Every structure is written in structure tokens, then in C-alpha cells.
Amino acid sequence: MKDRLTDALYGLGWSTVKKLPEPVAERLGRTIADAAWKRRGKGVLRLEANLARVVPDATPQRLAELSRAGMRSYLRYWMESFRLPSWSRERIKDGVDVKDLHHLTDGLAAGKGAVVALPHLANWDLAGAWVTTKLETPFTTVAERLKPETLYDRFVAYRESLGMEVLPHTGGSAFGTLARRLRAGGLVCLVADRDLSASGVEVKFFGESARMPGGPAMLAQQTGALLLPVTLWYDGAMMRGRIHPPVDVPETGTRAEKTSVMTQALADAFATGIADHPEDWHMLQRLWLADLEPRPGGTAAGGPS
């Protein structure tokens, strides 16, 4: 029953919100965000705890302001995402501005392929739609299998409608398919600032230990593709982004050692963008190892908040 209700609510969002006039949708998003913020639920409290690491000298009042702005940014993401399939190509093209785009376009022009890795900043779906629309470049990404399965199918259909090839994170051969796309000179885009699996790479993130996925670094090593960190932020009605310089593969070390160094470089680039725009980081879950619940046997496990 819970799964069916969740799926129905998301379906209502996609079918209803995209039909609203934009000012109405924006007000609705702010109203929902403010109501959630005032309830002080698990997600809001976790967001504030995460932001306290990002802005360690923030007063309680400042953290409250940041978390309120963060919830508004988070609901803006959802409102935009519900409405994106109905946006015109011109609206998508004009709604995003990216600095240092040459890092990506030059790499693709050279036929090397590129792995774009980004954190949960601003609207990564809009960024993807901009890539397929403005740059006219298709790309492949990976989506976590959601429950119920019908909800996952909705997300896949939605992202495919924006021009993305979507592979399941589990239950398939995602890594091999991504590697083939890269060897053919293609583009792969991966959200890569949180990994609670046993294969996650431990990094220092804002001075504390966290785990991030090693897949982007491993793909770059195996295929010779560029590894490009990307950060996003909202600026009024616009969304802006920055493509950071490529992360090089170390000349020495084992594969695991190289993966560790490269993933740390991604974490450092993510931290720069998050510190500059903390209100646009939509991290409402546990991230740092110190916050994770211990599993039997001494390892850590992440909860839903």
C-alpha cells in the first residue's frame, strides 16, 4: 500500500505540476518547502547537520537560514523536474550557463570520451537536458532502482524523454555498458557524492571521512576517458555550472590506489562547489562515516535520513 501511494503521489506531481502556470508552481514549491522546514522532520535535521560540516562557523540562526534556503532549493529541483518535459528547447538552452565548457567539448571532439561526475547540487536533470539540447550530445547515466518498481520506471521514462540513456544501478551490467560508450568516444554522467556500499572509496570531505563511489575513477582508468568534476548552482532564474579541470590518472600505484587518489580529487572539487553554494546541496541523508549506524560485524550502514 505504501509503495502504491508513493507511486501515485509522484505520478500526480508529473501530471499536475507541469500544467501549472510557472509563478503558481514556484509558489507551491516554496510553500511545501517552508512547511517541511517548519516541521523539523528527519530530512531537515539531517540537512542542517550536514550543512554544519560545510559551514563550521555558522551560528544556529545561520544554519536555520541555510536549511530553509536548502529546502526551497530542493523543492525547486522537484518542481523544475516535474515541468521539464513540457519546457521548450529554447527554455532549456537559455536556462543554463556553464563555465569552462571547453574541458568537455575539447575532450569529446578529440574522441576520448568523458565521464562527468557531479554532486547533488541544484538540478542535475536540467543540466542533463541542457547537454542533450544545447550541446546536442547524448549521454548515458545510471539510476538507482527505486521502490516500487513502477516508480523506477517513471524515473527512467522521464529521463529518457530528456534524451538520456538510463541504466539500472543494480541488476544489470552497467559498468561494462558505460565502458563501451566511453571507448566509442561517448559521454557518461554520474552523480557521485554519496556511496554507502561496501565498495565505496573512503575520502576526506570537509575534514571528515566519507565514502564516495569509485566507479567514475575506475571508468576513466579503464577506458582512457577524461574524468571531469562538475558543480552546479542556482542564480536567480538561471542555473549555472562549472566544469572543473580533468582529474588525471596517477602515473604510479595499483588500480585501487589510483582510484583512491582520483576519487579524493573529485571530493575536493565537489567540496569547492558545495562550500560556495551550500544552500543548493540537496543532501538530506547521512553521508559521513561518523553518522552511519554500525552493522553487525563493525561496518557502517546508512539509514534513510
Side-chain angles (χ1 to χ4, degrees):
M1 179 63 71
K2 180 181 177 182
D3 286 349
R4 288 198 298 271
L5 177 60
T6 299
D7 184 47
L9 289 173
Y10 277 101
L12 180 64
W14 264 300
S15 63
T16 303
V17 172
K18 68 181 179 182
K19 299 177 183 177
L20 295 175
E22 187 159 335
V24 175
E26 290 176 352
R27 286 197 299 271
L28 177 61
R30 288 195 298 269
T31 299
I32 295 172
D34 289 349
W37 179 77
K38 289 176 181 177
R39 282 200 300 270
R40 309 288 294 164
K42 288 183 178 180
V44 173
L45 294 177
R46 176 51 50 195
L47 177 61
E48 284 191 8
N50 291 339
L51 289 171
R53 260 95 168 206
V54 175
V55 191
D57 58 347
T59 64
Q61 180 181 355
R62 173 61 175 151
L63 279 178
E65 292 170 352
L66 276 176
S67 67
R68 183 177 188 180
M71 291 303 296
R72 287 187 169 189
S73 176
Y74 182 52
L75 263 295
R76 175 176 173 174
Y77 160 78
W78 278 110
M79 290 296 165
E80 286 179 346
S81 295
F82 286 143
R83 295 169 60 79
L84 259 178
S86 65
W87 282 18
S88 68
R89 291 176 61 86
E90 290 70 27
R91 173 69 187 280
I92 294 172
K93 290 178 181 180
D94 295 341
V96 180
D97 178 65
V98 178
K99 297 179 180 180
D100 298 325
L101 182 60
H102 65 92
H103 290 309
L104 174 59
T105 55
D106 290 352
L108 291 176
K112 298 182 65 173
V115 183
V116 164
L118 62 164
H120 287 80
L121 274 169
N123 192 335
W124 46 97
D125 285 322
L126 173 55
W130 182 83
V131 167
T132 60
T133 304
K134 176 74 172 181
L135 303 185
E136 298 183 342
T137 302
F139 68 88
T140 305
T141 188
V142 174
E144 180 183 359
R145 283 194 179 275
L146 302 172
K147 292 182 179 181
E149 190 75 14
T150 51
L151 178 57
Y152 171 77
D153 292 340
R154 285 183 187 272
F155 270 97
V156 170
Y158 156 64
R159 288 184 169 130
E160 288 180 340
S161 76
L162 300 175
M164 311 175 193
E165 179 188 21
V166 182
L167 306 176
H169 184 264
T170 57
S173 54
F175 190 92
T177 302
L178 295 174
R180 287 193 294 273
R181 300 291 183 269
L182 292 168
R183 290 193 185 99
L187 176 62
V188 166
C189 299
L190 301 170
V191 180
D193 58 343
R194 182 174 184 260
D195 188 339
L196 303 181
S197 70
S199 60
V201 177
E202 188 168 328
V203 296
K204 286 295 181 182
F205 195 52
F206 291 101
E208 294 190 44
S209 295
R211 276 201 298 267
M212 294 186 181
M218 294 168 65
L219 283 166
Q221 289 178 63
Q222 186 163 315
T223 66
L226 291 179
L227 177 56
L228 299 171
V230 173
T231 51
L232 307 169
W233 66 94
Y234 286 125
D235 182 11
M238 293 283 295
M239 186 177 77
R240 303 191 187 276
R242 178 190 174 198
I243 299 181
H244 298 251
V247 173
D248 294 329
V249 177
E251 294 183 0
T252 61
T254 65
R255 185 178 185 185
E257 289 168 342
K258 292 177 180 179
T259 299
S260 178
V261 170
M262 296 170 73
T263 306
Q264 181 64 61
L266 288 180
D268 293 342
F270 295 165
T272 298
I274 293 167
D276 287 343
H277 305 280
E279 69 279 2
D280 289 327
W281 189 40
H282 307 153
M283 186 55 66
L284 279 69
Q285 299 85 23
R286 295 182 177 100
L287 174 67
W288 281 274
L289 299 188
D291 294 335
L292 302 182
E293 298 170 351
R295 288 194 186 107
T299 58
S305 63

